[in-house]
Amino acid sequence: MTSPTSSASARRPDRSAARALIECRDVQKYYADYHALRGIDLTIREGEFFSLLGPSGCGKTTLLRTIAGFEDISSGVVLIDGQDMAGVPANRRPTNMVFQSYAIFPHLTVAENVGFGLRRDPRPAAEKAAAVEEALGMVGLKGYGNRASHALSGGQRQRVALARALILKPKVLLLDEPMSALDRKMREQMQVELIKLQRQVGITFVLVTHDQEEALVMSDRIAVMFEGQIAQLDGPEALYARPASRRVANFIGVMNFLPARILDETENGVMVDAPGLGVVEIPSRNISSADPGDEGPSIGFRPEAVSLLGPNVAAQNRVTGGVIDEVVYYGDMTYYDVRLDGSASFDGKSRPVRIAMRNVFGREVQDVGTRTRVSWSPGSLILFR
Amino acid sequence: MAAGNRSEAAQGLTLVAPPFAYALLVLGAPLLTLLAYSFFKDGYLTIIYEFTLENYLAVWSDPIFHKIMLRSLGVAALVTVVTVALAFPVAYFLSFVVSSERKPLWLFLITIPFWTSYLIRVFLWKVILGYNGVVNSGLKSLGIIEQPLTFILYNVNSMVMTLAHAYAPFAILPIFIALEKIDRSLLEAGRDLGENRMMTFWRVTLPLAMPGVIAASLIVFIPTIGDYVTPALIGGGKIPMIANMIQAQMLDIDNRPLGSAIAVTAMIIVAALSLLFLFVNRRFLKVRQ
């Protein structure tokens, strides 16, 4: 799914014209009769922060390990910087990896860990030591060189692993679920630090994660993988706003689905009838035809793409009435489950939709059972057909 | 909670008390007896219960003791080197090549020699290496030799061969366990950071396997110094080691105080060497994985 707005955003530099650094062409991987990678085609651009996102067992780690050279591929081509990587062992690839367990050598000090890859570096020992110290400084561990590696915390181990990889100035840094061992606070802090670090060093980062939030926060582009295939490859905004399939939509954030009847194809899109929403025209850029599914066509929208109107607020968009089924208060946000009027009109099944409202000053939390009005616009709806 | 801990500790002590008492009885009591005897006087077939250091002075000034002690240490060191060097590849194969579901079977196979008594295993080596033994008759019937080889039995080589075989499982198991504990991603990290398989082995696998190698070395070295059966059978009594000397003093010559002094001296030397060995390798033992 490509659309003109998906390539660049205000926050991230536009790299759509950048050189391709990693190219995978129809990469297949079998473990005995288990088909782990089913025809991966992707291009990772130079300087990009790229994420492989998917549930466990989707093949994202296998793909990362084939790029690193730890797994042979059954067929297909992996090119790094234009060079075919077939038969090139991990130690001769221009990649370095931050392992999920960090793989800090327990018998070496922090400095010895960071300098591990410099053995064949022709520089004199003093210069290498300075390089190690500089790398440690880059990850905020200045002066930790003489510490025993087992005395480090999880976050510090990750920093050592980063410094150890970055000191070799690889063309690509591969990160295998690097945050999964950290607690939430630490994780959020490291995410920001990692983005800054990536901008600072300008090295291409490829991150494997199962955490959609992490992928959205950090990446320039994300490949969502299911069952050894790429389901969608897009920028974070495009991925969130216009998921290519119901499955992607469900994996990234929350999406409400309502069954839809397709009435007519128009010049600008499709006219559909959805229970509770009535007849709407969905613009063609909001139509996803990747995954019809067995449930037939459906309309999807994000919980924050619609809003509950307070009692005395004038509607600016289309409005549907409804009854509040459930209220979940989160402090900054309140989640409402609302049964839209007429939502059971297709098949008698009631489908409450989830609506997220920010608790801004002056907006009251509405009660369960209250009649309410839901404001929405056709532009925030996505048609899966 | 302190109170909870104390009762747990008390429970633990109660649990270990019977085996501890037993160990004290069968290990500590003989050792103390030996130590006491070594300070008594020998009265030819009787023991005079008077304190003396004569036995130790006799031991330290005895050139035969020096020779036999050095030989024992030499043989044990050689056996240790050979055993550990041969055990390492086996343990490595077990840990890195054998699939995890096959490992129990392999471990089981390695312990099979223990089904047979040590004495019989040693004796079998005599059958294999003897004048009319398996090797000689085999080679003779193949026409490779006309006269039986005599250099394969009753010498240090044959003793090393026998002991290395007898102690192989003791060396394989600790090295195997040390290798099993190595996080495999460390080896991938070694490759990832630019080292080939050989250098990764040298810089990552071997240092991390060292606790196992050290344990294996001590487990082989300490008992082989005191081995009695192999020098008697495979060495043919011509190259006695320290245990044979102690036995001779204790039972043949019936000088128990001198025999005890030799035993205690040998024990002290072995303990000192073992501690030195641990001290030299201390950096490998501090690693916490």
Side-chain angles (χ1 to χ4, degrees):
Chain A
M1 170 156 176
T2 47
S3 69
T5 52
S6 70
S7 56
S9 73
R11 294 183 286 122
R12 298 178 175 84
D14 182 5
R15 287 207 180 79
S16 51
R19 207 160 61 89
L21 190 62
I22 299 176
E23 287 170 85
C24 295
R25 297 282 165 260
D26 193 28
V27 171
Q28 308 269 355
K29 170 76 183 172
Y30 288 90
Y31 292 105
D33 45 357
Y34 177 63
H35 201 172
L37 296 178
R38 307 176 180 208
I40 299 291
D41 278 293
L42 67 82
T43 300
I44 297 173
R45 298 171 191 141
E46 192 168 32
E48 194 168 38
F49 200 128
F50 192 93
S51 289
L52 298 169
L53 172 67
S56 60
C58 73
K60 57 190 191 298
T61 297
T62 306
L63 182 56
L64 193 80
R65 291 171 58 82
T66 63
I67 295 171
F70 295 128
E71 307 277 354
D72 297 325
I73 53 176
S74 307
S75 69
V77 183
V78 175
L79 301 170
I80 300 179
D81 209 11
Q83 283 193 306
D84 190 352
M85 286 292 123
V88 179
N91 50 317
R92 283 198 260 126
R93 293 195 181 194
T95 60
N96 282 113
M97 184 130 150
V98 173
F99 291 82
Q100 187 170 10
S101 63
Y102 307 140
I104 304 298
F105 301 117
H107 58 298
L108 301 179
T109 64
V110 168
E112 285 166 338
N113 262 285
V114 174
F116 189 91
L118 296 179
R119 183 177 63 86
R120 278 176 306 175
D121 191 315
R123 287 181 286 175
E127 272 180 49
K128 287 195 213 179
V132 168
E133 197 52 37
E134 191 196 320
L136 281 172
M138 198 162 64
V139 296
L141 287 181
K142 217 168 193 56
Y144 278 65
N146 290 325
R147 296 231 183 156
S149 46
H150 61 73
L152 300 175
S153 70
Q156 289 168 338
R157 298 171 81 81
Q158 187 187 39
R159 289 158 198 264
V160 173
L162 270 170
R164 186 175 72 179
L166 289 174
I167 197 172
L168 302 175
K169 303 198 163 49
K171 286 182 178 145
V172 188
L173 182 73
L174 306 169
L175 302 117
D176 185 9
E177 305 244 8
M179 321 277 188
S180 58
L182 304 179
D183 63 53
R184 193 187 168 86
K185 268 238 165 73
M186 194 70 209
R187 191 156 60 221
E188 283 168 2
Q189 189 190 333
M190 281 311 292
Q191 286 172 0
V192 176
E193 279 190 39
L194 215 52
I195 299 168
K196 282 189 188 156
L197 193 63
Q198 197 257 346
R199 283 194 194 140
Q200 185 190 330
V201 296
I203 291 172
T204 308
F205 279 31
V206 181
L207 172 81
V208 157
T209 181
H210 64 269
D211 182 342
Q212 43 102 6
E213 201 177 284
E214 187 170 293
L216 291 177
V217 166
M218 303 180 75
S219 323
D220 293 321
R221 287 193 308 151
I222 300 167
V224 181
M225 291 180 69
F226 296 122
E227 275 113 35
Q229 286 173 313
I230 294 177
Q232 187 173 2
L233 200 167
D234 240 319
E237 289 94 336
L239 210 54
Y240 189 80
R242 283 178 300 283
S245 65
R246 288 185 61 149
R247 193 159 184 203
V248 172
N250 267 326
F251 191 73
I252 296 182
V254 176
M255 190 170 264
N256 296 299
F257 294 102
L258 293 170
R261 276 193 203 124
I262 292 170
L263 302 175
D264 194 13
E265 310 269 342
T266 65
E267 201 178 312
N268 303 319
V270 177
M271 295 297 288
V272 296
D273 180 19
L277 301 177
V279 176
V280 236
E281 183 181 43
I282 308 288
S284 37
R285 70 185 204 111
N286 281 5
I287 295 172
S288 155
S289 48
D291 179 15
D294 24 87
E295 292 159 75
S298 56
I299 290 287
F301 57 92
R302 297 285 184 193
E304 68 283 353
V306 298
S307 51
L308 281 191
L309 293 178
N312 304 313
V313 181
Q316 289 173 336
N317 286 312
R318 292 177 65 164
V319 169
T320 303
V323 177
I324 298 176
D325 238 18
E326 191 66 72
V327 178
V328 183
Y329 179 75
Y330 271 94
D332 58 338
M333 301 287 289
T334 306
Y335 288 85
Y336 298 93
D337 285 346
V338 177
R339 225 166 327 126
L340 297 177
D341 294 345
S343 68
S345 64
F346 269 30
D347 48 9
K349 265 199 265 175
S350 168
R351 296 180 186 79
V353 293
R354 175 146 294 190
I355 296 171
M357 294 297 289
R358 185 155 286 285
N359 292 328
V360 295
F361 179 75
R363 181 186 288 161
E364 295 208 357
V365 175
Q366 301 188 31
D367 290 328
V368 176
T370 319
R371 268 213 70 80
T372 185
R373 293 176 302 153
V374 176
S375 158
W376 54 278
S377 77
S380 60
L381 306 181
I382 299 160
L383 174 65
F384 296 92
R385 60 185 289 202
Chain B
M1 286 202 288
N5 281 341
R6 210 176 303 135
S7 78
E8 227 169 83
Q11 249 179 4
L13 281 177
T14 320
L15 272 173
V16 290
F20 185 69
Y22 182 72
L24 207 66
L25 194 73
V26 299
L27 190 74
L31 272 176
L32 282 176
T33 313
L34 203 68
L35 194 65
Y37 267 52
S38 70
F39 291 108
F40 293 145
K41 280 183 186 164
D42 178 47
Y44 190 64
L45 295 182
T46 60
I47 290 159
I48 301 160
Y49 296 99
E50 279 174 37
F51 178 81
T52 179
L53 288 173
E54 262 173 44
N55 301 315
Y56 285 99
L57 294 173
V59 169
W60 281 107
S61 58
D62 181 3
I64 296 174
F65 171 77
H66 291 169
K67 185 167 182 211
I68 291 181
M69 190 70 225
L70 280 176
R71 176 192 290 150
S72 298
L73 292 172
V75 170
L78 200 58
V79 170
T80 306
V81 169
V82 169
T83 311
V84 171
L86 292 177
F88 199 98
V90 177
Y92 189 91
F93 172 81
L94 252 178
S95 181
F96 285 89
V97 181
V98 175
S99 69
S100 52
E101 58 268 32
R102 284 288 173 90
K103 278 176 188 171
L105 177 69
W106 277 84
L107 289 173
F108 174 72
L109 290 175
I110 281 170
T111 56
I112 278 188
F114 289 117
W115 294 10
T116 317
S117 120
Y118 176 59
L119 189 65
I120 291 174
R121 271 184 286 147
V122 172
F123 194 79
L124 273 172
W125 274 101
K126 194 170 173 166
V127 172
I128 293 169
L129 300 172
Y131 191 79
N132 290 314
V134 176
V135 172
N136 276 331
S137 45
L139 289 176
K140 244 185 357 194
S141 64
L142 287 172
I144 295 169
I145 54 168
E146 283 174 7
Q147 290 303 308
L149 304 170
T150 50
F151 68 87
I152 57 172
L153 190 61
Y154 303 139
N155 58 26
V156 171
N157 296 336
S158 53
M159 276 163 57
V160 170
M161 208 185 306
T162 307
L163 287 169
H165 169 253
Y167 283 92
F170 291 112
I172 293 170
L173 294 177
I175 298 172
F176 167 73
I177 288 165
L179 289 171
E180 281 288 281
K181 276 205 292 188
I182 298 174
D183 179 357
R184 298 308 193 248
S185 67
L186 294 174
L187 310 182
E188 289 188 340
R191 302 294 311 280
D192 190 65
L193 294 167
E195 296 293 16
N196 59 24
R197 281 179 199 283
M198 269 310 293
M199 282 309 293
T200 302
F201 174 82
W202 182 248
R203 297 185 68 190
V204 183
T205 316
L206 191 59
L208 291 174
M210 276 310 280
V213 171
I214 291 163
S217 302
L218 290 177
I219 289 172
V220 176
F221 182 71
I222 293 170
T224 45
I225 282 187
D227 194 86
Y228 172 79
V229 176
T230 300
L233 289 178
I234 304 292
K238 287 188 289 185
I239 27 181
M241 298 212 332
I242 201 71
N244 310 87
M245 191 184 182
I246 295 166
Q247 186 267 347
Q249 283 298 337
M250 291 281 209
L251 303 176
D252 297 347
I253 304 170
D254 208 9
N255 187 344
R256 283 184 204 171
L258 189 60
S260 302
I262 296 172
V264 172
T265 309
M267 219 151 47
I268 290 168
I269 290 170
V270 172
L273 285 174
S274 303
L275 289 175
L276 181 72
F277 182 71
L278 286 177
F279 181 76
V280 167
N281 288 298
R282 66 193 180 285
R283 72 190 167 97
F284 295 114
L285 300 171
K286 276 193 287 191
V287 173
R288 264 187 272 156
Q289 287 194 46

